[in-house]
Amino acid sequence: MEFLNSPSKAHDKCTEVRKNRMTIGYVPTMGALHDGHLSLVERSVDENDFTVVSIFVNPLQFNRPEDLETYPVSINSDKKLLEAAGCDMAYSGEFADFFPGLAMEDAIKTELPCKAILGLEAAHRPGHLEGVQAIVQKLFEVVGDCRAYFGEKDFQQTLVVKELAARIGGVDVIVCPTIREKDGLAMSSRNTRLNTGQRDTATTLYRALFAANQLWTTGVRDAKTLELIMRNEIMKEADLQLEYAAIRDPFNWTAETPTSPVDQAQALIAANLGTVRLIDNCRLGTLTS
Ligand code: AMP
């Protein structure tokens, strides 16, 4: 696997790969890789001739400085994991490589915000999705036409990225399932920052999603009722500070909870456990255990 510490060299390489009529699969990451990330890489390797992964901890998407400062970094083990997964090229860069001459406040303001930046994450993590949109636009410019793989784990992010890709053209966004630990906890780079007790408590998010899923299978379609059962599960754990437990129509994103019965429902939760922010979601009716 080739590792390029330069977005412009990565761009040249991708251009050359396409000239050779090879398809490119691309997985953007912030590193500290786990099996969730690797599932995206493996899918890309299966579906494309050449797989590219980026590792860049994007400061624009962190609204809390301490979260950025403590974000896990493991570049050497990341490279080994990517090589073993069949990745062909990984690249990284500095903030100035992506946003030459721009201060953070200006870099985040460059584009029209996508419509999916509305409610939930926007209300609780102001600027986060704008920061995602800004970097993903740059990352897509580096790689060019490709299939780009994203995890459903960050559901609202997938909506933003799809909207952005439709605007830019040439990038086909593929959303892949959330990979979980055996007890249901969604894998996340931030999980390494949980202590043993917190690690147990963290599974409450999955239990809350599961409770809503069960209610859904009994025929309940009222979003507020489905939200309440999730909220009640989270409230059982005093250490969890709930930000939201919400139901949204996945195909018609709205800032507020739908008031009429929902035909399809995405259940989404965000909660803080100590200094670690946890998020998870699922399509109701899809959880089996
Ligand atoms: P991150 O490094 O957190 O920016 O994540 C990079 C990509 O991996 C994003 O598309 C995430 O949605 C995806 N991802 C993170 N965790 C998981 C997971 N548990 N299962 C599947 N995809 C994931």
Side-chain angles (χ1 to χ4, degrees), residues 185-227:
L185 176 66
M187 290 188 184
S188 164
S189 304
R190 289 186 180 85
N191 292 351
T192 56
R193 287 167 42 202
L194 298 171
N195 65 32
T196 314
Q198 289 174 327
R199 170 65 189 76
D200 287 345
T201 305
T203 59
T204 310
L205 272 73
Y206 184 71
R207 279 201 297 282
L209 292 176
F210 196 75
N213 187 76
Q214 293 307 91
L215 200 56
W216 176 268
T217 60
T218 68
V220 173
R221 295 291 181 270
D222 175 54
K224 291 276 179 202
T225 309
L226 294 159
E227 288 183 348

mmCIF file of all heavy atoms in Angstrom, residues 185-227:
data_model
loop_
_atom_site.group_PDB
_atom_site.id
_atom_site.type_symbol
_atom_site.label_atom_id
_atom_site.label_comp_id
_atom_site.label_asym_id
_atom_site.label_seq_id
_atom_site.Cartn_x
_atom_site.Cartn_y
_atom_site.Cartn_z
ATOM 1 N N LEU A 185 -23.113 -2.393 21.108
ATOM 2 C CA LEU A 185 -22.510 -1.050 21.044
ATOM 3 C C LEU A 185 -21.924 -0.803 19.652
ATOM 4 O O LEU A 185 -21.151 -1.613 19.131
ATOM 5 C CB LEU A 185 -21.395 -0.931 22.104
ATOM 6 C CG LEU A 185 -20.626 0.391 22.088
ATOM 7 C CD1 LEU A 185 -21.519 1.563 22.491
ATOM 8 C CD2 LEU A 185 -19.407 0.327 23.001
ATOM 9 N N ALA A 186 -22.308 0.314 19.059
ATOM 10 C CA ALA A 186 -21.765 0.666 17.742
ATOM 11 C C ALA A 186 -20.279 0.962 17.883
ATOM 12 O O ALA A 186 -19.879 1.712 18.785
ATOM 13 C CB ALA A 186 -22.498 1.883 17.191
ATOM 14 N N MET A 187 -19.469 0.375 17.016
ATOM 15 C CA MET A 187 -18.027 0.661 17.081
ATOM 16 C C MET A 187 -17.770 2.127 16.778
ATOM 17 O O MET A 187 -18.439 2.717 15.930
ATOM 18 C CB MET A 187 -17.278 -0.220 16.093
ATOM 19 C CG MET A 187 -17.280 -1.652 16.519
ATOM 20 S SD MET A 187 -16.208 -2.636 15.477
ATOM 21 C CE MET A 187 -16.544 -4.247 16.176
ATOM 22 N N SER A 188 -16.816 2.690 17.510
ATOM 23 C CA SER A 188 -16.467 4.094 17.328
ATOM 24 C C SER A 188 -15.054 4.308 17.841
ATOM 25 O O SER A 188 -14.662 3.698 18.844
ATOM 26 C CB SER A 188 -17.442 4.978 18.125
ATOM 27 O OG SER A 188 -16.919 6.278 18.262
ATOM 28 N N SER A 189 -14.317 5.187 17.166
ATOM 29 C CA SER A 189 -12.956 5.480 17.623
ATOM 30 C C SER A 189 -12.980 6.010 19.050
ATOM 31 O O SER A 189 -12.065 5.763 19.833
ATOM 32 C CB SER A 189 -12.304 6.522 16.709
ATOM 33 O OG SER A 189 -12.330 6.071 15.374
ATOM 34 N N ARG A 190 -14.028 6.746 19.395
ATOM 35 C CA ARG A 190 -14.105 7.340 20.734
ATOM 36 C C ARG A 190 -14.351 6.312 21.837
ATOM 37 O O ARG A 190 -14.173 6.611 23.011
ATOM 38 C CB ARG A 190 -15.201 8.401 20.793
ATOM 39 C CG ARG A 190 -14.885 9.672 20.030
ATOM 40 C CD ARG A 190 -15.959 10.729 20.250
ATOM 41 N NE ARG A 190 -15.659 11.961 19.530
ATOM 42 C CZ ARG A 190 -15.967 12.187 18.255
ATOM 43 N NH1 ARG A 190 -16.571 11.242 17.551
ATOM 44 N NH2 ARG A 190 -15.668 13.337 17.675
ATOM 45 N N ASN A 191 -14.774 5.083 21.481
ATOM 46 C CA ASN A 191 -15.034 4.074 22.521
ATOM 47 C C ASN A 191 -13.776 3.754 23.324
ATOM 48 O O ASN A 191 -13.872 3.322 24.474
ATOM 49 C CB ASN A 191 -15.592 2.774 21.915
ATOM 50 C CG ASN A 191 -16.988 2.959 21.360
ATOM 51 O OD1 ASN A 191 -17.606 4.003 21.566
ATOM 52 N ND2 ASN A 191 -17.489 1.962 20.650
ATOM 53 N N THR A 192 -12.601 3.972 22.730
ATOM 54 C CA THR A 192 -11.351 3.680 23.457
ATOM 55 C C THR A 192 -11.193 4.614 24.650
ATOM 56 O O THR A 192 -10.402 4.358 25.533
ATOM 57 C CB THR A 192 -10.110 3.839 22.548
ATOM 58 O OG1 THR A 192 -10.134 5.172 21.999
ATOM 59 C CG2 THR A 192 -10.111 2.828 21.416
ATOM 60 N N ARG A 193 -11.956 5.702 24.665
ATOM 61 C CA ARG A 193 -11.852 6.658 25.781
ATOM 62 C C ARG A 193 -12.816 6.335 26.919
ATOM 63 O O ARG A 193 -12.866 7.053 27.917
ATOM 64 C CB ARG A 193 -12.085 8.085 25.267
ATOM 65 C CG ARG A 193 -10.889 8.586 24.457
ATOM 66 C CD ARG A 193 -11.201 9.852 23.663
ATOM 67 N NE ARG A 193 -11.982 10.810 24.415
ATOM 68 C CZ ARG A 193 -12.727 11.757 23.880
ATOM 69 N NH1 ARG A 193 -12.795 11.868 22.564
ATOM 70 N NH2 ARG A 193 -13.397 12.590 24.626
ATOM 71 N N LEU A 194 -13.596 5.245 26.776
ATOM 72 C CA LEU A 194 -14.536 4.861 27.847
ATOM 73 C C LEU A 194 -13.810 3.977 28.863
ATOM 74 O O LEU A 194 -13.070 3.071 28.470
ATOM 75 C CB LEU A 194 -15.708 4.071 27.254
ATOM 76 C CG LEU A 194 -16.590 4.787 26.231
ATOM 77 C CD1 LEU A 194 -17.558 3.792 25.577
ATOM 78 C CD2 LEU A 194 -17.368 5.924 26.894
ATOM 79 N N ASN A 195 -14.057 4.199 30.174
ATOM 80 C CA ASN A 195 -13.512 3.254 31.158
ATOM 81 C C ASN A 195 -14.439 2.039 31.239
ATOM 82 O O ASN A 195 -15.491 2.012 30.570
ATOM 83 C CB ASN A 195 -13.284 3.943 32.514
ATOM 84 C CG ASN A 195 -14.594 4.404 33.155
ATOM 85 O OD1 ASN A 195 -15.633 3.768 32.981
ATOM 86 N ND2 ASN A 195 -14.544 5.506 33.886
ATOM 87 N N THR A 196 -14.074 1.044 32.057
ATOM 88 C CA THR A 196 -14.819 -0.225 32.037
ATOM 89 C C THR A 196 -16.290 -0.027 32.383
ATOM 90 O O THR A 196 -17.173 -0.591 31.720
ATOM 91 C CB THR A 196 -14.177 -1.218 33.030
ATOM 92 O OG1 THR A 196 -12.770 -1.171 32.832
ATOM 93 C CG2 THR A 196 -14.663 -2.628 32.818
ATOM 94 N N GLY A 197 -16.552 0.771 33.401
ATOM 95 C CA GLY A 197 -17.949 1.003 33.798
ATOM 96 C C GLY A 197 -18.717 1.727 32.700
ATOM 97 O O GLY A 197 -19.862 1.373 32.378
ATOM 98 N N GLN A 198 -18.073 2.717 32.114
ATOM 99 C CA GLN A 198 -18.726 3.484 31.038
ATOM 100 C C GLN A 198 -18.970 2.597 29.817
ATOM 101 O O GLN A 198 -19.989 2.744 29.135
ATOM 102 C CB GLN A 198 -17.850 4.669 30.633
ATOM 103 C CG GLN A 198 -17.794 5.769 31.670
ATOM 104 C CD GLN A 198 -16.787 6.842 31.279
ATOM 105 O OE1 GLN A 198 -15.759 6.559 30.659
ATOM 106 N NE2 GLN A 198 -17.071 8.080 31.660
ATOM 107 N N ARG A 199 -18.052 1.691 29.583
ATOM 108 C CA ARG A 199 -18.195 0.792 28.425
ATOM 109 C C ARG A 199 -19.488 -0.031 28.561
ATOM 110 O O ARG A 199 -20.188 -0.260 27.569
ATOM 111 C CB ARG A 199 -16.954 -0.110 28.331
ATOM 112 C CG ARG A 199 -17.033 -1.253 27.345
ATOM 113 C CD ARG A 199 -17.138 -0.763 25.912
ATOM 114 N NE ARG A 199 -17.416 -1.883 25.008
ATOM 115 C CZ ARG A 199 -18.588 -2.482 24.863
ATOM 116 N NH1 ARG A 199 -19.647 -2.074 25.564
ATOM 117 N NH2 ARG A 199 -18.730 -3.481 24.020
ATOM 118 N N ASP A 200 -19.799 -0.474 29.799
ATOM 119 C CA ASP A 200 -21.059 -1.216 30.019
ATOM 120 C C ASP A 200 -22.258 -0.295 29.819
ATOM 121 O O ASP A 200 -23.237 -0.662 29.158
ATOM 122 C CB ASP A 200 -21.106 -1.783 31.451
ATOM 123 C CG ASP A 200 -20.160 -2.964 31.596
ATOM 124 O OD1 ASP A 200 -19.727 -3.493 30.552
ATOM 125 O OD2 ASP A 200 -19.857 -3.335 32.744
ATOM 126 N N THR A 201 -22.171 0.880 30.411
ATOM 127 C CA THR A 201 -23.285 1.832 30.326
ATOM 128 C C THR A 201 -23.586 2.210 28.871
ATOM 129 O O THR A 201 -24.746 2.432 28.495
ATOM 130 C CB THR A 201 -22.942 3.112 31.133
ATOM 131 O OG1 THR A 201 -22.618 2.709 32.456
ATOM 132 C CG2 THR A 201 -24.085 4.096 31.160
ATOM 133 N N ALA A 202 -22.527 2.261 28.057
ATOM 134 C CA ALA A 202 -22.675 2.724 26.667
ATOM 135 C C ALA A 202 -23.643 1.847 25.865
ATOM 136 O O ALA A 202 -24.260 2.323 24.903
ATOM 137 C CB ALA A 202 -21.305 2.759 25.983
ATOM 138 N N THR A 203 -23.817 0.588 26.282
ATOM 139 C CA THR A 203 -24.714 -0.305 25.527
ATOM 140 C C THR A 203 -26.182 0.125 25.662
ATOM 141 O O THR A 203 -27.044 -0.365 24.936
ATOM 142 C CB THR A 203 -24.596 -1.772 26.007
ATOM 143 O OG1 THR A 203 -24.921 -1.805 27.391
ATOM 144 C CG2 THR A 203 -23.219 -2.322 25.783
ATOM 145 N N THR A 204 -26.455 1.034 26.609
ATOM 146 C CA THR A 204 -27.824 1.515 26.805
ATOM 147 C C THR A 204 -28.388 2.132 25.518
ATOM 148 O O THR A 204 -29.586 2.042 25.255
ATOM 149 C CB THR A 204 -27.847 2.573 27.941
ATOM 150 O OG1 THR A 204 -27.161 2.021 29.053
ATOM 151 C CG2 THR A 204 -29.266 2.923 28.351
ATOM 152 N N LEU A 205 -27.523 2.755 24.730
ATOM 153 C CA LEU A 205 -28.029 3.371 23.485
ATOM 154 C C LEU A 205 -28.632 2.292 22.590
ATOM 155 O O LEU A 205 -29.710 2.482 22.013
ATOM 156 C CB LEU A 205 -26.908 4.111 22.732
ATOM 157 C CG LEU A 205 -26.707 5.571 23.132
ATOM 158 C CD1 LEU A 205 -26.054 5.686 24.496
ATOM 159 C CD2 LEU A 205 -25.876 6.316 22.101
ATOM 160 N N TYR A 206 -27.922 1.173 22.500
ATOM 161 C CA TYR A 206 -28.446 0.095 21.649
ATOM 162 C C TYR A 206 -29.741 -0.455 22.248
ATOM 163 O O TYR A 206 -30.700 -0.729 21.514
ATOM 164 C CB TYR A 206 -27.408 -1.023 21.497
ATOM 165 C CG TYR A 206 -27.888 -2.092 20.556
ATOM 166 C CD1 TYR A 206 -27.982 -1.848 19.198
ATOM 167 C CD2 TYR A 206 -28.293 -3.338 21.039
ATOM 168 C CE1 TYR A 206 -28.456 -2.812 18.320
ATOM 169 C CE2 TYR A 206 -28.769 -4.313 20.166
ATOM 170 C CZ TYR A 206 -28.845 -4.043 18.811
ATOM 171 O OH TYR A 206 -29.318 -4.981 17.943
ATOM 172 N N ARG A 207 -29.777 -0.592 23.575
ATOM 173 C CA ARG A 207 -31.009 -1.106 24.201
ATOM 174 C C ARG A 207 -32.183 -0.178 23.912
ATOM 175 O O ARG A 207 -33.311 -0.628 23.702
ATOM 176 C CB ARG A 207 -30.817 -1.280 25.716
ATOM 177 C CG ARG A 207 -30.091 -2.577 26.069
ATOM 178 C CD ARG A 207 -30.360 -2.967 27.518
ATOM 179 N NE ARG A 207 -29.846 -1.972 28.439
ATOM 180 C CZ ARG A 207 -28.569 -1.865 28.772
ATOM 181 N NH1 ARG A 207 -27.685 -2.713 28.274
ATOM 182 N NH2 ARG A 207 -28.173 -0.935 29.599
ATOM 183 N N ALA A 208 -31.928 1.112 23.922
ATOM 184 C CA ALA A 208 -33.000 2.078 23.648
ATOM 185 C C ALA A 208 -33.489 1.939 22.200
ATOM 186 O O ALA A 208 -34.696 1.950 21.933
ATOM 187 C CB ALA A 208 -32.497 3.495 23.909
ATOM 188 N N LEU A 209 -32.545 1.783 21.263
ATOM 189 C CA LEU A 209 -32.939 1.584 19.860
ATOM 190 C C LEU A 209 -33.733 0.285 19.722
ATOM 191 O O LEU A 209 -34.738 0.228 19.016
ATOM 192 C CB LEU A 209 -31.698 1.506 18.950
ATOM 193 C CG LEU A 209 -30.870 2.776 18.784
ATOM 194 C CD1 LEU A 209 -29.637 2.478 17.939
ATOM 195 C CD2 LEU A 209 -31.696 3.898 18.156
ATOM 196 N N PHE A 210 -33.274 -0.726 20.455
ATOM 197 C CA PHE A 210 -33.928 -2.033 20.361
ATOM 198 C C PHE A 210 -35.353 -1.959 20.905
ATOM 199 O O PHE A 210 -36.277 -2.554 20.339
ATOM 200 C CB PHE A 210 -33.103 -3.085 21.116
ATOM 201 C CG PHE A 210 -33.483 -4.480 20.751
ATOM 202 C CD1 PHE A 210 -33.078 -5.018 19.531
ATOM 203 C CD2 PHE A 210 -34.273 -5.251 21.584
ATOM 204 C CE1 PHE A 210 -33.460 -6.299 19.158
ATOM 205 C CE2 PHE A 210 -34.659 -6.534 21.222
ATOM 206 C CZ PHE A 210 -34.244 -7.061 20.006
ATOM 207 N N ALA A 211 -35.530 -1.203 21.996
ATOM 208 C CA ALA A 211 -36.875 -1.055 22.578
ATOM 209 C C ALA A 211 -37.812 -0.387 21.565
ATOM 210 O O ALA A 211 -38.969 -0.817 21.393
ATOM 211 C CB ALA A 211 -36.790 -0.239 23.859
ATOM 212 N N ALA A 212 -37.310 0.635 20.894
ATOM 213 C CA ALA A 212 -38.141 1.302 19.869
ATOM 214 C C ALA A 212 -38.423 0.354 18.714
ATOM 215 O O ALA A 212 -39.534 0.320 18.172
ATOM 216 C CB ALA A 212 -37.433 2.568 19.377
ATOM 217 N N ASN A 213 -37.411 -0.416 18.344
ATOM 218 C CA ASN A 213 -37.567 -1.394 17.264
ATOM 219 C C ASN A 213 -38.665 -2.410 17.595
ATOM 220 O O ASN A 213 -39.492 -2.752 16.737
ATOM 221 C CB ASN A 213 -36.226 -2.109 17.057
ATOM 222 C CG ASN A 213 -36.225 -3.029 15.864
ATOM 223 O OD1 ASN A 213 -36.150 -2.564 14.731
ATOM 224 N ND2 ASN A 213 -36.326 -4.333 16.106
ATOM 225 N N GLN A 214 -38.681 -2.856 18.865
ATOM 226 C CA GLN A 214 -39.694 -3.841 19.284
ATOM 227 C C GLN A 214 -41.091 -3.234 19.235
ATOM 228 O O GLN A 214 -42.039 -3.869 18.807
ATOM 229 C CB GLN A 214 -39.384 -4.365 20.695
ATOM 230 C CG GLN A 214 -38.125 -5.199 20.779
ATOM 231 C CD GLN A 214 -38.114 -6.334 19.761
ATOM 232 O OE1 GLN A 214 -37.632 -6.176 18.647
ATOM 233 N NE2 GLN A 214 -38.666 -7.481 20.118
ATOM 234 N N LEU A 215 -41.170 -1.990 19.694
ATOM 235 C CA LEU A 215 -42.471 -1.306 19.684
ATOM 236 C C LEU A 215 -42.972 -1.160 18.232
ATOM 237 O O LEU A 215 -44.155 -1.337 17.934
ATOM 238 C CB LEU A 215 -42.304 0.056 20.355
ATOM 239 C CG LEU A 215 -43.544 0.749 20.891
ATOM 240 C CD1 LEU A 215 -44.285 -0.147 21.882
ATOM 241 C CD2 LEU A 215 -43.146 2.059 21.595
ATOM 242 N N TRP A 216 -42.038 -0.817 17.364
ATOM 243 C CA TRP A 216 -42.353 -0.683 15.931
ATOM 244 C C TRP A 216 -42.922 -1.990 15.391
ATOM 245 O O TRP A 216 -43.911 -1.984 14.635
ATOM 246 C CB TRP A 216 -41.072 -0.296 15.182
ATOM 247 C CG TRP A 216 -41.208 -0.215 13.698
ATOM 248 C CD1 TRP A 216 -40.984 -1.221 12.786
ATOM 249 C CD2 TRP A 216 -41.588 0.929 12.926
ATOM 250 N NE1 TRP A 216 -41.181 -0.769 11.505
ATOM 251 C CE2 TRP A 216 -41.562 0.544 11.560
ATOM 252 C CE3 TRP A 216 -41.935 2.242 13.259
ATOM 253 C CZ2 TRP A 216 -41.876 1.429 10.539
ATOM 254 C CZ3 TRP A 216 -42.246 3.114 12.231
ATOM 255 C CH2 TRP A 216 -42.218 2.712 10.895
ATOM 256 N N THR A 217 -42.320 -3.117 15.783
ATOM 257 C CA THR A 217 -42.779 -4.407 15.239
ATOM 258 C C THR A 217 -44.175 -4.768 15.754
ATOM 259 O O THR A 217 -44.852 -5.607 15.177
ATOM 260 C CB THR A 217 -41.798 -5.570 15.552
ATOM 261 O OG1 THR A 217 -41.684 -5.677 16.966
ATOM 262 C CG2 THR A 217 -40.434 -5.351 14.958
ATOM 263 N N THR A 218 -44.625 -4.108 16.836
ATOM 264 C CA THR A 218 -46.006 -4.344 17.290
ATOM 265 C C THR A 218 -46.994 -3.421 16.557
ATOM 266 O O THR A 218 -48.186 -3.434 16.855
ATOM 267 C CB THR A 218 -46.159 -4.115 18.810
ATOM 268 O OG1 THR A 218 -45.974 -2.720 19.077
ATOM 269 C CG2 THR A 218 -45.185 -4.942 19.625
ATOM 270 N N GLY A 219 -46.470 -2.580 15.666
ATOM 271 C CA GLY A 219 -47.360 -1.758 14.845
ATOM 272 C C GLY A 219 -47.427 -0.292 15.238
ATOM 273 O O GLY A 219 -48.138 0.491 14.603
ATOM 274 N N VAL A 220 -46.676 0.111 16.272
ATOM 275 C CA VAL A 220 -46.706 1.524 16.683
ATOM 276 C C VAL A 220 -46.019 2.386 15.622
ATOM 277 O O VAL A 220 -44.887 2.099 15.218
ATOM 278 C CB VAL A 220 -46.023 1.705 18.067
ATOM 279 C CG1 VAL A 220 -45.898 3.180 18.425
ATOM 280 C CG2 VAL A 220 -46.795 0.955 19.138
ATOM 281 N N ARG A 221 -46.677 3.446 15.171
ATOM 282 C CA ARG A 221 -46.127 4.314 14.124
ATOM 283 C C ARG A 221 -46.101 5.782 14.561
ATOM 284 O O ARG A 221 -45.765 6.651 13.761
ATOM 285 C CB ARG A 221 -46.967 4.185 12.828
ATOM 286 C CG ARG A 221 -46.902 2.780 12.210
ATOM 287 C CD ARG A 221 -45.503 2.512 11.647
ATOM 288 N NE ARG A 221 -45.372 1.196 11.030
ATOM 289 C CZ ARG A 221 -44.999 0.086 11.670
ATOM 290 N NH1 ARG A 221 -44.737 0.111 12.971
ATOM 291 N NH2 ARG A 221 -44.872 -1.054 11.018
ATOM 292 N N ASP A 222 -46.481 6.025 15.802
ATOM 293 C CA ASP A 222 -46.480 7.405 16.306
ATOM 294 C C ASP A 222 -45.070 7.763 16.783
ATOM 295 O O ASP A 222 -44.521 7.136 17.703
ATOM 296 C CB ASP A 222 -47.485 7.531 17.461
ATOM 297 C CG ASP A 222 -47.413 8.918 18.084
ATOM 298 O OD1 ASP A 222 -47.547 9.897 17.342
ATOM 299 O OD2 ASP A 222 -47.156 9.017 19.305
ATOM 300 N N ALA A 223 -44.477 8.772 16.142
ATOM 301 C CA ALA A 223 -43.075 9.097 16.400
ATOM 302 C C ALA A 223 -42.832 9.487 17.864
ATOM 303 O O ALA A 223 -41.837 9.095 18.466
ATOM 304 C CB ALA A 223 -42.636 10.212 15.460
ATOM 305 N N LYS A 224 -43.750 10.256 18.437
ATOM 306 C CA LYS A 224 -43.545 10.714 19.831
ATOM 307 C C LYS A 224 -43.533 9.521 20.790
ATOM 308 O O LYS A 224 -42.763 9.501 21.754
ATOM 309 C CB LYS A 224 -44.667 11.686 20.236
ATOM 310 C CG LYS A 224 -44.598 13.014 19.510
ATOM 311 C CD LYS A 224 -43.625 13.967 20.195
ATOM 312 C CE LYS A 224 -43.563 15.284 19.433
ATOM 313 N NZ LYS A 224 -42.354 16.051 19.663
ATOM 314 N N THR A 225 -44.381 8.521 20.535
ATOM 315 C CA THR A 225 -44.415 7.332 21.399
ATOM 316 C C THR A 225 -43.110 6.548 21.271
ATOM 317 O O THR A 225 -42.549 6.072 22.266
ATOM 318 C CB THR A 225 -45.614 6.429 20.994
ATOM 319 O OG1 THR A 225 -46.778 7.238 20.957
ATOM 320 C CG2 THR A 225 -45.814 5.277 21.954
ATOM 321 N N LEU A 226 -42.613 6.452 20.047
ATOM 322 C CA LEU A 226 -41.349 5.733 19.819
ATOM 323 C C LEU A 226 -40.178 6.482 20.458
ATOM 324 O O LEU A 226 -39.268 5.873 21.022
ATOM 325 C CB LEU A 226 -41.127 5.551 18.312
ATOM 326 C CG LEU A 226 -42.145 4.632 17.611
ATOM 327 C CD1 LEU A 226 -42.183 4.892 16.112
ATOM 328 C CD2 LEU A 226 -41.829 3.153 17.889
ATOM 329 N N GLU A 227 -40.236 7.797 20.409
ATOM 330 C CA GLU A 227 -39.177 8.601 21.044
ATOM 331 C C GLU A 227 -39.195 8.416 22.554
ATOM 332 O O GLU A 227 -38.153 8.328 23.202
ATOM 333 C CB GLU A 227 -39.356 10.093 20.705
ATOM 334 C CG GLU A 227 -39.005 10.407 19.262
ATOM 335 C CD GLU A 227 -39.095 11.894 18.925
ATOM 336 O OE1 GLU A 227 -39.649 12.679 19.744
ATOM 337 O OE2 GLU A 227 -38.619 12.272 17.843
#
